Amino acid sequence: MPESEAQAGAPMGSLSALRNILRELSPGAPLEESLGGLLKVLSNQMGYLRVFLVIMDPESESLRLSLAHSPTRSLPATYTPGKGVVGQVYETGKAMIIPKLADSAEFLNKAFGRTPEELEGLSFVSVPVIIARHGVSEVLGALSADMPIQPIDRLERQREFLEVVADLIANQVAQLQEEMALHKHLMAQGMVPPGMDSPPPQNFVAASKSMRMVLRQSRQVAPSRATVLLRGESGTGKELLAEAIHMGSPRADKQLIKLNCAALPSELVESELFGHQKGAFTGAVQTKRGLFELAHNGTLFLDEIGELSLDAQAKVLRAIQEKEIQRVGGEQTLSVDVRLICATHQPLEELLTQGRFREDLFYRINVFPVFIPALRERREDILPLCEHFLQDFSKEYGKNIKRISTPAIELLSMYHWPGNVRELRNCVERAVLVCEEEVIRTYHLPPTLQTADSSATGINLSFGEAVAKFEQELLVDSLKKTRGNMLQSARDLRVSYRIINYKVKKYGIDVKRFATAKPRRKKATA
């Protein structure tokens, strides 16, 4: 078999591998999947027999085999800092080269069960994975590779190459280390999380890092029966997240029952939750089953739980602790098996100090809190959400609207969204309804967006200024589509080339910057 380019010392093999490694580390890719793909690239392109990653577990203070690409199955293995080759690499923060594994007394041969024959024909290189945090370097683990025996000068080049790779993956390894710690915490509570970065649930848009973390937490808690407390401002998507948690649980084939505790008078909430017997109060003309009964073996979602009266809170606590309820006006005790998901926008800690929320109930429902950030704190989600809603409402209302203009996007991005995703959804729905073109423009957006903050948005203009702004928007839009071709823009806008040229100079538009831009219309319809 011919030597690989890397073994022969040719730099092109390393460069090709680095290019493929960078592709594996593309933003948004599932973490373990991308790191696993990276190890596979190293093995296939660099001629390594096996390559593996060990990461420090801060809680146990031991190194754990986390990911590997190997022809033989890896066994669970831990490494002690300072012991063996990998342990020394972690302890010292310096790489180690073993020219021949059979001759090394320090090599412990864990995890892969290398035979004596294999050890005779293998070299070994291990490098530390180091990250700089607040000006301080921290060793996270070690990246190691088995490779066919080769001269020391080639092994040195392999070391240099692996150190570059270790630098590239340091941030991903730090994130994986955090997830390992969270894994361990959840497993201690009997929660076994599924894949961490699988695609978001249907109709759930999460482009920002903070929302991907929220989805990750929901996937981790979904398979358990633990009570979840969703916290965040109104309109952030708590109900949608509750649905995602239910659908990821073993109870997905059972009912998800919902109640907004703020939508009913306090005197009716108990009847709604626990049911009532015939004649229990005026108007109770027949026996009614409560939501706890209806949600038996399923999930009950209590939105705005902070609005419950203290009496209702006491009964909810009993239902959680004893798995028993009593209907209003009834004496019979009914057993219920319900997974509870709660939500609130209120500061429950303040309600505790005011005596408006029971402390014992708070600690029962606060088993797994999930904080959903406001839309203004995750502006990366605004454009993907707009495009998602635009697609849905265009289909619903039979419109052929293909995209949102750049000035409209800027306006949407700068607005502070006090109503969060709910307000954004309503805004896009209104724009779709009033739009008679193929493009959503600034004047299709609600007046509240255009007048909310004149200093931030630049709206609140005089008639002449508004006309000029609209004229400039149309011109820029056309130049983007034609890639800076002013003649084609003149044809599209049905004016003379002289007018287009005049307006370009008037508004100081740099036509050259559109020459390499992809036409937006094409992108929107792809």
Side-chain angles (χ1 to χ4, degrees):
M1 177 181 291
E3 289 184 309
S4 71
E5 289 178 286
Q7 291 178 34
M12 288 305 297
S14 303
L15 292 174
S16 175
L18 285 174
R19 278 195 294 268
N20 289 326
I21 284 169
L22 290 172
R23 290 193 192 100
E24 293 293 338
L25 297 178
S26 59
L31 188 59
E32 289 197 33
E33 181 181 316
S34 63
L35 285 174
L38 176 148
L39 298 183
K40 185 176 181 180
V41 167
L42 287 175
S43 179
N44 293 342
Q45 292 197 237
M46 299 302 295
Y48 301 153
L49 180 65
R50 61 177 57 84
V51 57
F52 60 99
L53 184 65
V54 298
I55 301 175
M56 167 55 67
D57 178 358
E59 190 172 330
S60 65
E61 296 186 348
S62 62
L63 293 155
R64 198 180 92 185
L65 176 65
S66 299
L67 291 168
H69 184 76
S70 169
T72 57
R73 185 177 178 182
S74 60
L75 303 172
T78 57
Y79 302 80
T80 303
K83 301 287 182 67
V85 176
V86 172
Q88 289 182 51
V89 168
Y90 173 81
E91 186 78 13
T92 64
K94 296 181 179 179
M96 287 186 67
I97 296 174
I98 308 298
K100 185 177 179 180
L101 285 180
D103 295 341
S104 174
E106 297 173 323
F107 188 72
L108 302 179
N109 194 21
K110 290 190 173 185
F112 300 103
R114 303 169 184 85
T115 65
E117 292 76 19
E118 276 189 287
L119 296 175
E120 287 288 341
L122 290 177
S123 295
F124 186 76
V125 178
S126 182
V127 301
V129 180
I130 303 173
I131 191 170
R133 288 173 169 164
H134 310 296
V136 179
S137 294
E138 178 187 350
V139 183
L140 303 174
L143 176 66
S144 307
D146 292 9
M147 59 195 72
I149 284 182
Q150 49 199 278
I152 191 66
D153 60 330
R154 291 185 183 177
L155 291 175
E156 288 288 354
R157 285 197 290 271
Q158 299 282 16
R159 173 190 59 77
E160 292 172 355
F161 172 75
L162 285 172
E163 285 176 336
V164 171
V165 175
D167 287 342
L168 287 174
I169 66 173
N171 287 326
Q172 285 81 2
V173 172
Q175 187 178 345
L176 189 59
Q177 185 185 54
E178 293 172 5
E179 290 181 355
M180 284 167 50
L182 186 57
H183 252 212
K184 199 164 187 178
H185 171 72
L186 292 169
M187 291 177 70
Q189 299 183 45
M191 306 176 194
V192 183
M196 295 237 178
D197 283 311
S198 51
Q202 189 177 11
N203 297 326
F204 207 105
V205 176
S208 65
K209 184 177 180 181
S210 58
M211 279 308 294
R212 290 201 302 269
M213 177 59 73
V214 166
L215 284 179
R216 189 175 300 128
Q217 290 174 330
S218 71
R219 292 188 187 102
Q220 289 165 343
V221 74
S224 73
R225 62 165 293 117
T227 301
V228 183
L229 178 59
L230 306 179
R231 307 192 66 169
E233 296 179 8
S234 294
T236 50
K238 296 187 289 292
E239 183 176 340
L240 198 59
L241 190 63
E243 293 173 0
I245 292 172
H246 172 70
M247 293 308 299
S249 75
R251 301 168 182 252
D253 59 334
K254 306 297 183 182
Q255 286 201 80
L256 169 63
I257 304 296
K258 306 174 186 178
L259 174 66
N260 187 331
C261 302
L264 292 173
S266 58
E267 60 270 17
L268 295 181
V269 169
E270 288 186 45
S271 171
E272 195 71 19
L273 283 173
F274 308 107
H276 59 254
Q277 291 296 121
K278 181 179 180 179
F281 51 83
T282 303
V285 295
Q286 61 183 15
T287 297
K288 176 186 175 182
R289 298 170 67 197
L291 298 184
F292 267 94
E293 285 184 75
L294 296 174
H296 181 61
N297 291 327
T299 303
L300 178 61
F301 174 55
L302 298 182
D303 198 4
E304 299 301 347
I305 193 170
E307 298 292 339
L308 284 179
S309 68
L310 290 173
D311 286 343
Q313 290 175 32
K315 292 186 177 182
V316 169
L317 179 64
R318 182 192 176 196
I320 298 172
Q321 290 180 328
E322 308 296 333
K323 298 183 181 180
E324 293 179 345
I325 62 165
Q326 280 186 329
R327 293 174 183 157
V328 176
E331 298 179 356
Q332 182 183 3
T333 298
L334 304 172
S335 296
V336 289
D337 176 13
V338 173
R339 200 272 179 85
L340 193 63
I341 301 175
C342 304
T344 183
H345 76 281
Q346 295 180 294
L348 293 184
E349 292 81 2
E350 291 183 18
L351 299 186
L352 288 176
T353 60
Q354 297 167 10
R356 294 167 53 197
F357 202 85
R358 294 179 61 105
E359 187 174 5
D360 46 7
L361 177 59
F362 173 75
Y363 290 117
R364 289 296 299 187
I365 66 174
N366 199 42
V367 175
F368 196 98
V370 178
F371 293 84
I372 307 177
L375 186 57
R376 63 183 173 275
E377 296 170 0
R378 48 182 176 102
R379 294 188 180 274
E380 307 98 301
D381 289 327
I382 292 176
L383 181 55
L385 281 166
C386 287
E387 291 174 341
H388 172 75
F389 294 141
L390 176 62
Q391 183 179 12
D392 282 357
F393 289 125
S394 294
K395 183 177 180 180
E396 179 178 346
Y397 296 120
K399 297 289 189 80
N400 186 31
I401 302 174
K402 297 178 179 178
R403 61 184 180 85
I404 303 172
S405 72
T406 300
I409 289 172
E410 291 172 355
L411 199 64
L412 290 161
S413 299
M414 287 189 289
Y415 185 59
H416 60 290
W417 297 112
N420 291 295
V421 180
R422 183 184 293 120
E423 183 182 7
L424 177 62
R425 184 179 187 275
N426 293 341
C427 171
V428 176
E429 182 176 13
R430 176 195 183 278
V432 169
L433 284 169
V434 301
C435 181
E436 299 296 336
E437 311 171 39
E438 292 186 347
V439 181
I440 298 288
R441 303 194 186 278
T442 53
Y443 51 81
H444 295 129
L445 300 178
T448 50
L449 262 71
Q450 303 184 16
T451 59
D453 183 357
S454 59
S455 63
T457 63
I459 309 302
N460 215 8
L461 308 172
S462 68
F463 177 76
E465 290 170 330
V467 170
K469 186 172 181 66
F470 175 50
E471 193 174 60
Q472 186 177 354
E473 178 184 338
L474 285 176
L475 185 53
V476 168
D477 228 24
S478 177
L479 289 169
K480 281 184 178 179
K481 287 187 286 185
T482 64
R483 301 195 185 190
N485 187 329
M486 291 197 294
L487 183 59
Q488 184 60 48
S489 289
R491 291 171 184 157
D492 290 348
L493 296 174
R494 290 179 243 177
V495 295
S496 69
Y497 175 84
R498 184 182 61 80
I499 290 177
I500 292 293
N501 188 45
Y502 167 74
K503 298 292 185 183
V504 163
K505 290 177 181 178
K506 176 183 176 180
Y507 298 123
I509 299 171
D510 181 8
V511 177
K512 292 180 181 177
R513 69 188 176 100
F514 303 119
T516 57
K518 292 182 180 179
R520 293 294 300 271
R521 183 188 297 266
K522 193 172 183 178
K523 182 178 180 182
T525 57

